[in-house]
Structures are given as C-alpha cells and as structure tokens.
Amino acid sequence: MASSVHHLLFIINLLIIPTTLLSQSIIQMPPRRHRITDDNLYCDSWRFSVETNDAGTWTSIPSRCVAFVQDYMTGDRYLSDSAAVANYSLSFARGFRSEEMVRTLGSSTSMRLCSPICPTIRRMDSGLNSYGHRSVTFDEASFDEWVDLAEAPALPASLKLYKELKHLGFKIFLLTGRSEHQRNATAKNLLYAGYNNWERLLLRGPSDQGTTATVYKSEKRSDLINEGYRIHGSSGDQWSDLLGFAVAQRSFKLPNPMYYIA
Amino acid sequence: MASSVHHLLFIINLLIIPTTLLSQSIIQMPPRRHRITDDNLYCDSWRFSVETNDAGTWTSIPSRCVAFVQDYMTGDRYLSDSAAVANYSLSFARGFRSEEMVRTLGSSTSMRLCSPICPTIRRMDSGLNSYGHRSVTFDEASFDEWVDLAEAPALPASLKLYKELKHLGFKIFLLTGRSEHQRNATAKNLLYAGYNNWERLLLRGPSDQGTTATVYKSEKRSDLINEGYRIHGSSGDQWSDLLGFAVAQRSFKLPNPMYYIA
C-alpha cells in the first residue's frame, strides 16, 4: 500500500571515484606543468562554470586546467567542498527530523538524498578542448577492470553523511548509472568502502539502456514516488543526478570538475 | 498576434551593484583581518555551496569569510567568473543564431537571457551567522539613496554580452525585482551604465508586491510566454532568477557571494 512507505528516506548516489581515478591513472593526466597565475584564474572560473552548470555539456578538461584539476582533486579543496555540501545536506535532514517531530501523527516522512556512485565516465579519449589540445584521456577497459576490482574508497564526507542519516532513521536508496550486470561488484565495493544496510541499490536495467542519465534517474525517482515515497532531498556530483522530473525538494550538488554526464 | 513576436529575444537581468556596493560602503564591511589559510579553504567551500545553491537560504556572509568575499569581489576573480559565464551565454546565443539560419523559414526565434539589476538586497542588519558573530550590515536608507543616484556602473561582462546580443539581433528584456516607482531611476542608471534599446524593462508592479523573487520572476516569464515569446536563455546572479516555472531552455548563474534573494 502506497501510504505504508512514508518512511524517512534518503537516496544516496555515492561518489567513490575521483581520487582513486587519479591515483590509479584510470584517467591519464599529462605531466604536471609549471602553473601560471593566469591559468589558475582561468581554471577557477572554468570550474565555477561547470559546477553551476553554466558550461552546459562539456567533454574534457581544458588542457591548461588539467594540473589545476589534479591539484583540486588531490588536495584539501575537494574534500573541503564535499564536506561543506554534506554538512548542508545533514542540516537539511536534521531540520526535517525536527519538523516531523512537531507535526507527527504517526506517519513518518519519506526522504531521498542522492549522492551517486558515479559509475560512468564520459569518453574523453577523442576529446579536444576549445584550444585544440588533447587534454585528458579515458581508458574504458581500465575503468571496467577498476569497477570489477571493487576497491574504490568512499568519499569521506559522503560516508559520514550516510552514517548520520542512518542514525537519524532515514531509509537510504542508492541510485547509480552503472548497469545491472555490475550489481555484485558495486554492492561489494559499497560494503568494502563502509556502506551497509541501504534500502535499495538501483542500477540501469535492460529497459534503461540508451537513455540519458537525467531521464534514467528521473524515471527511477518517479517510480519511487509512484510507490508512495516522497523525495525531499537529493544529492549527486552531476547535474543530471538532480535535474529532470520527479526532483527532490532540495538538491545538493557535490563537486566534480573531472567529467560531465548528460 | 502571438505568432508575430517570435523574434530573437534575450532578457537580461543586469547586475550592476556589487563592486559599487563595496566601494560606496552600502554594505558595511568590518576592517580587513589577517587571513588564515584555513579560512580561505572554509570560505571557498562556503562560496561553492552558495553558488551551487547547496546552502539554500542564507542571510549573511559568515564573519570569517567577509574579508574573503571582499577580496573576491574587488579582485580579479569576480570579473573572471562573470566573464566566463557571459562567454558561455554568448556561445549559446551564437549557436541558436546559426541553428536558426539552418532551419530558417521566415519566423525568427525568440530568446531570453536574463542577468538582473539585482535591486533588492536582503536585510542583513540583524544577521548573525552560524558562529554567532555579526558579519555584514545592510543600510536600507543608503541603498535607496544609491538607487536614486543612478550611477552604478555596469558589470563589464554583462554589458559586453548585452552589446553582442544586440549585434546578433536579439530582443533584450530586463527583469528586475525593483519596484515600479524606481523605473525612472533604473532606466536612467541603465543608460548611464551604457545599456540602451532594450525591448522592455520589467519591474514589480502593485500586484507583484509580497511575492518571492522566484514566483515574481516566474510569473513575468510566464506572461512573456503567453504573449508568444519562447524563452531560450536566462541568466542572473540569484537562483531565484533562474528557478521556478516558465524557466528558460538554458540558465546562466552569475557569481554573487554577497547576498541571497529567495
């Protein structure tokens, strides 16, 4: 019965890739160059544009920004930005909890907060940036091997958020663009990374192939709503995790200047 | 006739405030403190959260970030970020132009790209940040005086975009949260700042009072759609310029870590 599933609910699209990608060379970075201040300014503005979705679709990191992105992802800034977003997500979740306590009449509130596994990396091997230079290459075979390895660590802020949400009593759904045949490897990796007792792990089934991430994820959220869930929060490192239809009451954009999924 | 207004169309919500606000002390900044690296990291992550809308509603700059925001707004970064966004807006507009040339059948394409005058500043005089410290104060009387002065300069990137769009043949609408009684001062300021020949300047009329910026701007966009315009682009420095209903095909978020308008 639909009304029976109004539990506290979060869906987390777990982000457990980027630092590993860099350290395991799945995305091949050119040798680090001496950085020029102008590049920093340019690249920080580029990052602003991609993180706010002003840039729209983009296929590769500009070559002059590869070192900048590498610094960002492997230094304190990525962790700090992720932690800030997770803190806002948690504040929101806590607010709901108390709001619910105020207007409680027995039926609990379902809630969804996504922060995805980011399974797919856009092909960048043929990517030429606007300056005509090859920048970042993506090796799909290495990526699949890495998925099967199932040893990606959690993004610390996401794991902390996950545990806090569980503690608050939320049901947590995990929504990923990975395919159904990667379910075992994905679940194994989640457990390895410290996640457990999620409510459901949602992957692309045969009927989901060929759709954009925005449509696929919207459809999955819509299915949950049709099951009776209300989606109050959603987080992910891609705008395609957050936009479309059946969107959450609040969305939380995690940083990712590495790649774009439409 | 509705079909007669399918012109090339942009609406620009002109942003002509922040640097002036700082230099004219309409927002009173505490004396600049010696900055600590941890503050920079914290404040850059705070800025990420507000620019992506992860922070949701916020009422004041955290006191430890006031010097950071002042540096950001008065240095190269704000201009660079604004220019990057304007460039993406322009690329989008140019793409439409050529697309139209390909499928031209006489009827032109209407298009809307907002980048607002940012007329309202949220009251911050009673704002205590999460650390309990008073941070930034807003003097409403000074602000009204400043509006009447009508001498705010244009944000260079927005003015350049405006002129390029005019050159491309777009009709440009200006949408602002200022009230109708400020029409003359606003138009005077626009001309002073270098803007001219806009299609229409839209301000809050009596029936628009008391609505949030999101609803007010959505309603104004909706009115234009009902007149027969199609809104392809929208830009503004507030998420309330871009979200809601009757949204544009593409939205462009300009930087503004100074204040939040719901």
Side-chain angles (χ1 to χ4, degrees):
Chain A
M1 223 173 73
S3 62
S4 68
V5 288
H6 281 280
H7 306 292
L8 291 173
L9 168 67
F10 271 88
I11 298 190
I12 301 213
N13 295 324
L14 298 165
L15 177 63
I16 48 176
I17 285 181
T19 49
T20 311
L21 276 176
L22 287 164
S23 62
Q24 297 193 355
S25 297
I26 285 168
I27 289 183
Q28 304 291 331
M29 295 286 187
R32 188 175 302 206
R33 298 177 306 163
H34 177 67
R35 279 179 298 137
I36 303 160
T37 304
D38 278 355
D39 276 357
N40 269 341
L41 189 63
Y42 173 89
C43 297
D44 214 35
S45 292
W46 173 80
R47 190 172 70 90
F48 179 93
S49 298
V50 301
E51 294 294 15
T52 53
N53 211 20
D54 289 339
T57 301
W58 55 278
T59 51
S60 65
I61 301 165
S63 62
R64 67 191 282 195
C65 299
V66 168
F68 172 91
V69 169
Q70 193 163 22
D71 282 351
Y72 173 82
M73 294 300 297
T74 56
D76 291 338
R77 296 178 71 192
Y78 173 62
L79 294 175
S80 173
D81 288 356
S82 304
V85 178
N87 284 338
Y88 281 110
S89 309
L90 190 57
S91 295
F92 176 66
R94 287 197 175 118
F96 247 90
R97 185 71 175 159
S98 31
E99 184 185 345
E100 185 206 35
M101 285 190 286
V102 170
R103 57 177 166 83
T104 183
L105 271 174
S107 88
S108 49
T109 306
S110 66
M111 191 159 185
R112 171 178 180 146
L113 182 72
C114 309
S115 99
I117 296 168
C118 294
T120 312
I121 291 204
R122 198 171 184 80
R123 288 184 64 85
M124 296 193 241
D125 51 355
S126 63
L128 296 180
N129 68 23
S130 57
Y131 296 91
H133 301 121
R134 188 170 300 271
S135 59
V136 174
T137 57
F138 170 61
D139 180 340
E140 194 165 351
S142 299
F143 182 69
D144 286 345
E145 280 173 26
W146 173 83
V147 167
D148 290 339
L149 202 62
E151 288 182 2
L155 177 62
S158 288
L159 183 57
K160 180 168 173 288
L161 175 63
Y162 183 96
K163 290 185 171 175
E164 299 261 19
L165 291 174
K166 291 290 293 180
H167 183 70
L168 287 170
F170 289 102
K171 288 185 182 292
I172 302 180
F173 284 64
L174 307 173
L175 177 56
T176 171
R178 288 189 186 185
S179 292
E180 196 60 57
H181 76 268
Q182 293 169 309
R183 176 177 292 278
N184 287 349
T186 302
K188 182 181 167 191
N189 198 151
L190 285 166
L191 292 167
Y192 171 86
Y195 295 90
N196 53 50
N197 294 318
W198 52 84
E199 187 67 15
R200 209 180 297 173
L201 172 61
L202 300 161
L203 302 98
R204 272 184 195 267
S207 66
D208 302 316
Q209 301 300 327
T211 56
T212 63
T214 305
V215 170
Y216 156 67
K217 296 201 168 184
S218 295
E219 286 174 348
K220 291 293 177 187
R221 288 193 302 265
S222 191
D223 290 346
L224 289 173
I225 289 172
N226 291 337
E227 284 184 52
Y229 292 106
R230 281 178 291 160
I231 304 174
H232 295 287
S234 174
S235 79
D237 71 318
Q238 298 291 322
W239 283 101
S240 55
D241 296 330
L242 309 174
L243 301 177
F245 53 92
V247 297
Q249 183 186 340
R250 277 280 297 274
S251 293
F252 299 94
K253 170 67 175 72
L254 288 162
N256 188 348
M258 297 277 290
Y259 53 85
Y260 177 90
I261 299 173
Chain B
M1 222 171 75
S3 62
S4 68
V5 289
H6 281 280
H7 307 291
L8 291 173
L9 168 67
F10 271 88
I11 296 188
I12 301 212
N13 295 323
L14 297 166
L15 178 62
I16 48 175
I17 284 180
T19 49
T20 310
L21 275 176
L22 287 164
S23 62
Q24 299 192 354
S25 298
I26 285 168
I27 289 183
Q28 304 292 333
M29 295 286 186
R32 189 175 300 206
R33 298 177 307 165
H34 176 68
R35 280 180 299 137
I36 304 160
T37 304
D38 279 353
D39 275 358
N40 269 341
L41 189 62
Y42 173 88
C43 297
D44 213 36
S45 293
W46 172 80
R47 190 172 69 92
F48 178 93
S49 298
V50 302
E51 295 293 16
T52 53
N53 211 21
D54 288 340
T57 301
W58 55 278
T59 52
S60 64
I61 301 165
S63 62
R64 67 191 283 195
C65 298
V66 168
F68 172 92
V69 169
Q70 193 164 23
D71 282 351
Y72 173 82
M73 293 300 298
T74 57
D76 292 337
R77 297 178 70 192
Y78 173 62
L79 294 176
S80 173
D81 288 357
S82 303
V85 177
N87 284 339
Y88 280 110
S89 307
L90 190 57
S91 295
F92 176 66
R94 288 197 175 117
F96 247 89
R97 184 70 176 161
S98 29
E99 184 185 342
E100 185 205 37
M101 286 190 287
V102 170
R103 57 177 165 82
T104 184
L105 272 174
S107 90
S108 47
T109 307
S110 67
M111 189 161 187
R112 170 176 180 149
L113 183 71
C114 309
S115 99
I117 296 167
C118 296
T120 312
I121 293 203
R122 200 173 182 78
R123 286 184 66 84
M124 296 193 239
D125 51 355
S126 64
L128 296 179
N129 68 22
S130 57
Y131 297 91
H133 300 122
R134 188 171 300 271
S135 60
V136 175
T137 58
F138 170 62
D139 181 340
E140 195 165 349
S142 298
F143 182 70
D144 286 345
E145 279 172 27
W146 173 84
V147 167
D148 290 338
L149 201 64
E151 289 183 1
L155 177 63
S158 287
L159 182 57
K160 179 169 174 284
L161 175 63
Y162 183 95
K163 290 184 170 173
E164 298 261 20
L165 291 174
K166 292 288 294 179
H167 183 70
L168 287 170
F170 288 103
K171 288 185 182 292
I172 303 182
F173 284 63
L174 307 173
L175 177 56
T176 170
R178 288 189 186 186
S179 292
E180 196 59 59
H181 76 268
Q182 294 169 309
R183 176 178 291 280
N184 287 348
T186 303
K188 182 181 168 191
N189 198 150
L190 285 166
L191 292 166
Y192 171 87
Y195 296 90
N196 53 49
N197 293 319
W198 52 84
E199 187 67 16
R200 208 179 299 173
L201 172 60
L202 301 161
L203 302 97
R204 273 183 196 266
S207 66
D208 301 316
Q209 301 301 325
T211 56
T212 62
T214 306
V215 171
Y216 157 67
K217 296 200 167 183
S218 294
E219 286 174 349
K220 291 292 177 190
R221 288 193 303 264
S222 190
D223 289 347
L224 289 172
I225 289 172
N226 290 337
E227 285 184 51
Y229 293 106
R230 280 177 291 159
I231 304 174
H232 296 287
S234 176
S235 78
D237 71 318
Q238 298 292 321
W239 283 100
S240 54
D241 296 328
L242 309 174
L243 302 177
F245 53 91
V247 296
Q249 183 186 340
R250 278 281 296 275
S251 293
F252 299 95
K253 170 66 175 73
L254 288 161
N256 187 349
M258 296 278 290
Y259 53 85
Y260 177 90
I261 299 173

